[in-house]
Amino acid sequence: MRVVAEILVGLLAVLHLYIMVMEMFLWTTPRVRASFGSTAEFAEQTKVLAANQGLYNGFLAAGLLWGLIASDPVGHDAQIFFTACVVVAGLYGGATASRRILLVQALPGAIALAAVLISG
């Protein structure tokens, strides 16, 4: 189960790196605008806010990756902490911004967190 948990944490880190890139560097592109359902004008007006949000997603990814490479018990504890942070961020985003975030962020985070806890 440990290998499954680490794969899920790694995939979660990749997801958050991808979100970071979209929010920090690709926010005003047509594809990302379509993904977030925004207009060119809105994307231009909010690109600084999106970049800031992207930076936080980068921090989540960094913490998840740290959890994978750090020795236990620190690595395991970091995986628990950062997957829990992903779940909380996903729940908040799902409640305040878009329900889609529940499926894209909170659910994968919860699955990874459960796997890490079970792997123990």
Side-chain angles (χ1 to χ4, degrees):
M1 188 63 182
R2 180 73 181 227
V3 172
V4 171
E6 289 182 352
I7 289 170
L8 292 173
V9 170
L11 290 172
L12 196 59
V14 169
L15 172 65
H16 281 275
L17 285 172
Y18 178 65
I19 294 169
M20 179 197 77
V21 169
M22 286 194 308
E23 292 174 341
M24 291 188 78
F25 307 111
L26 305 174
W27 186 248
T28 58
T29 64
R31 183 170 182 223
V32 172
R33 287 194 337 260
S35 177
F36 285 91
S38 64
T39 64
E41 180 181 67
F42 179 79
E44 192 60 40
Q45 292 171 346
T46 60
K47 69 181 180 180
V48 173
L49 294 172
N52 187 32
Q53 187 170 295
L55 185 63
Y56 287 97
N57 278 293
F59 290 147
L60 288 173
L64 292 165
L65 293 171
W66 173 48
L68 290 175
I69 63 171
S71 300
D72 286 336
V74 172
H76 186 259
D77 292 346
Q79 289 177 40
I80 292 170
F81 176 78
F82 284 99
T83 54
C85 287
V86 168
V87 172
V88 171
L91 291 173
Y92 184 79
T96 61
S98 169
R99 286 185 176 239
R100 184 171 173 250
I101 295 171
L102 293 171
L103 294 176
V104 173
Q105 186 176 18
L107 182 60
I111 292 169
L113 175 58
V116 170
L117 291 171
I118 291 168
S119 74

